[in-house]
């Protein structure tokens, strides 16, 4: 009996000594579940007291760090949510994980919008290029920067500028942060400035600068591919009396009407410009000389029917039209313009209201001459 009794006493003593350890295990589990904040052991074992105190200090530091992290995340969330610029966050694979309120509102997306929802809003003509550049940026770890068109919930087209950058951690990428700016108004203003830089405000036609740029492009195409093109230059006969007697406002109205009727005689691919005053030019890309002559005759006849009036007096004008085409050896637009201008002067010299095709270098008429 004595050995059995000794065994029972030993087990009781060991269990009593291990009770604080069991309590320690239980309280650590309660802290892990959130049911307890700190360890609170009642024991005389110095080692357990030291372990408990060390654990409580570490837990306090962990809790404070966690609260700081949550505060920082809440602060960043508040910034992203309140900024007027559209912003998004994606994982390193490019899957969208967050869209801020400004971007959701800009595109008319719901709060649970997915990556596919965002891609579907990109204009069909810009989608393939945007996908290719996005994949390239993901593979290379470079910035994604592109201006493209997107559609809002009503199908209206928006011009946006997207800039996304990879956020690099200590040893691996953490994700992607991007901004989406609505630049629709800026694009419209840029387009308007470009239009104004190359167009005549009175008639809406190309101005000299815009016309010459298109003439340069057509000549370069002719030199490269041999594509035939023709140039018509004309000014108005008897225009001075309209301005002198009827006033500049009446002269401006006549110029607008001439621009309208000439535009109706041209093809969609043609370029009509006002060179200044009552001088006009018409570039006919991919046009034979014979076809260009028929167009010139139609323009002459259409202008002759234009009139404006002041009081009981009506004013009519006609046009002296010069025509040439690109020739082998043309290396600048100056020589082409000079030929058309000389033909226009010849039309005026021979009685006005005529079409003259410039003669070749040997002095032979390129066609029948005055029409």
């Amino acid at each position: 009996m004595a050995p059995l009794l000794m065994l029972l006493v030993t087990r009781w003593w060991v269990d009593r000594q291990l009770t604080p350890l069991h309590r320690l295990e239980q309280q650590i589990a309660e802290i892990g579940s959130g049911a307890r904040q700190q360890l609170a052991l009642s024991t005389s074992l110095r080692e357990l007291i030291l372990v408990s105190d060390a654990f409580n200090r570490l837990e306090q530091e962990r809790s404070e760090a966690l609260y700081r992290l949550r505060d920082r995340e809440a602060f960043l969330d508040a910034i992203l949510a309140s900024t007027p610029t559209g912003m998004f966050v994606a994982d390193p694979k490019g899957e969208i994980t967050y869209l801020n309120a400004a971007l959701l509102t800009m595109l008319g997306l719901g709060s649970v919008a997915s990556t596919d929802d965002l891609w579907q809003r990109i204009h069909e003509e810009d989608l393939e290029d945007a996908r290719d550049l996005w994949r390239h940026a993901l593979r290379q770890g470079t910035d994604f920067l592109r201006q493209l068109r997107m559609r809002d919930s009503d199908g209206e087209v928006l011009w946006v500028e997207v800039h996304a950058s990879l956020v690099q951690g200590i040893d691996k990428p953490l994700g992607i942060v991007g901004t989406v700016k609505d630049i629709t108004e800026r694009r419209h203003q840029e387009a308007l400035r470009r239009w104004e830089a190359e167009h005549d405000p009175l008639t809406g036609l190309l101005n000299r600068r815009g016309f010459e740029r298109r003439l340069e492009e057509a000549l370069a195409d002719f030199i490269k591919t041999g594509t035939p093109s023709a140039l018509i230059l004309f000014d108005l006969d008897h225009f001075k009396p309209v301005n002198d007697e009827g006033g500049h406002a009446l002269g401006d109205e006549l110029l607008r009407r001439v621009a309208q009727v000439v535009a109706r005689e041209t093809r969609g691919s043609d370029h009509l410009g006002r060179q200044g005053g009552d001088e006009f030019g018409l570039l006919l890309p991919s046009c034979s000389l014979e076809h260009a002559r028929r167009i010139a005759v139609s323009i002459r006849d259409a202008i002759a029917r234009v009139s404006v009036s002041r009081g009981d007096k009506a004013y009519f004008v006609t046009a002296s039209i010069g025509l040439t085409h690109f020739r082998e050896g043309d290396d600048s637009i100056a020589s082409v313009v000079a030929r058309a201008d000389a033909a226009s002067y010849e039309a005026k010299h021979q009685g006005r209201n005529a079409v003259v095709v410039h003669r070749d270098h040997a002095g032979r008429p390129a066609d029948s001459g005055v029409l």
Side-chain angles (χ1 to χ4, degrees):
M1 292 293 293
L4 179 60
L5 181 61
M6 180 64 68
L7 180 62
L8 292 174
V9 171
T10 301
R11 181 176 179 180
W12 171 82
W13 184 84
V14 170
D15 287 344
R16 183 175 181 182
Q17 295 300 314
L18 292 177
T19 297
L21 289 176
H22 292 317
R23 290 176 181 170
L24 176 65
E25 179 184 13
Q26 180 181 359
Q27 289 187 15
I28 289 175
E30 291 174 353
I31 290 175
S33 67
R36 176 183 289 272
Q37 299 298 321
Q38 286 188 326
L39 298 178
L41 295 180
S42 177
T43 179
S44 60
L45 294 176
R46 183 172 180 274
E47 289 78 3
L48 286 183
I49 293 174
L50 293 175
V51 168
S52 176
D53 290 345
F55 183 90
N56 283 337
R57 285 196 302 273
L58 289 174
E59 176 60 21
Q60 180 66 26
E61 293 173 0
R62 187 191 71 83
S63 297
E64 291 176 355
L66 182 61
Y67 284 130
R68 287 196 297 271
L69 178 61
R70 288 174 178 172
D71 288 344
R72 187 179 297 116
E73 289 179 345
F75 180 69
L76 292 176
D77 284 344
I79 292 176
L80 292 174
S82 61
T83 180
T85 300
M87 299 192 70
F88 66 89
V89 177
D91 63 24
K93 295 181 179 179
E95 292 296 316
I96 302 298
T97 59
Y98 173 82
L99 302 174
N100 75 339
L103 184 53
L104 293 173
T105 301
M106 182 191 306
L107 300 178
L109 293 170
S111 58
V112 292
S114 65
T115 302
D116 288 340
D117 293 330
L118 195 61
W119 282 107
Q120 288 172 6
R121 290 304 175 92
I122 297 178
H123 194 282
E124 54 274 11
E125 294 180 5
D126 297 338
L127 181 58
E128 184 176 352
D129 287 344
R131 284 191 184 277
D132 288 344
L133 184 58
W134 180 253
R135 295 190 190 102
H136 176 77
L138 291 177
R139 286 194 302 269
Q140 301 298 322
T142 56
D143 282 9
F144 176 94
L145 178 59
R146 187 172 182 83
Q147 292 183 0
L148 50 83
R149 289 164 292 178
M150 302 187 78
R151 297 187 187 276
D152 62 17
S153 56
D154 297 324
E156 296 293 325
V157 175
L158 304 174
W159 272 101
V160 299
E161 183 176 84
V162 184
H163 186 189
S165 299
L166 186 68
V167 179
Q168 187 68 42
I170 297 176
D171 55 357
K172 64 178 181 179
L174 301 179
I176 299 167
V177 176
T179 60
V180 181
K181 299 178 182 179
D182 185 347
I183 59 169
T184 305
E185 182 62 25
R186 191 176 88 193
R187 292 283 300 208
H188 288 169
Q189 290 298 325
E190 290 173 353
L192 179 60
R193 286 193 293 271
R194 287 195 299 270
W195 189 92
E196 290 176 340
E198 292 195 342
H199 287 78
D200 170 46
L202 176 64
T203 61
L205 304 180
L206 291 169
N207 59 18
R208 183 180 294 275
R209 174 183 176 183
F211 187 76
E212 288 183 350
R213 182 173 71 81
R214 286 154 181 81
L215 193 56
E216 293 274 10
E217 293 171 353
L219 180 59
D221 189 50
F222 170 73
I223 294 172
K224 181 178 180 180
T225 66
T227 303
S229 294
L231 173 64
I232 292 173
L233 294 181
F234 65 91
D235 60 15
L236 302 181
D237 309 318
H238 316 298
F239 179 71
K240 189 172 184 300
V242 181
N243 265 340
D244 292 346
E245 300 174 15
H248 289 288
L250 191 65
D252 289 347
E253 177 61 25
L254 179 61
L255 292 173
R256 282 191 290 266
R257 293 189 185 183
V258 167
Q260 291 169 359
V261 299
V262 173
R264 287 197 291 266
E265 300 299 324
T266 62
R267 307 167 303 170
S269 59
D270 299 336
H271 301 292
L272 177 61
R274 181 186 175 209
Q275 303 291 83
D278 63 339
E279 299 175 353
F280 294 81
L282 177 62
L283 173 62
L284 304 160
S286 302
C287 184
S288 68
L289 189 62
E290 182 57 34
H291 189 190
R293 180 166 54 179
R294 290 196 296 269
I295 292 175
V297 171
S298 297
I299 289 173
R300 180 198 62 184
D301 296 343
I303 292 175
R305 294 191 292 269
V306 174
S307 69
V308 292
S309 60
R310 182 178 182 183
D312 296 333
K313 185 171 183 178
Y315 296 89
F316 294 85
V317 292
T318 56
S320 295
I321 301 175
L323 169 63
T324 189
H325 65 296
F326 293 168
R327 298 173 181 171
E328 186 176 349
D330 284 338
D331 57 2
S332 71
I333 64 171
S335 58
V336 183
V337 170
R339 291 199 303 268
D341 193 53
S344 174
Y345 179 82
E346 180 65 20
K348 190 175 292 290
H349 178 71
Q350 295 186 18
R352 298 183 174 90
N353 193 29
V355 175
V356 171
V357 179
H358 190 270
R359 299 172 182 270
D360 65 15
H361 298 295
R364 297 184 301 269
D367 56 46
S368 58
V370 179
L371 298 176

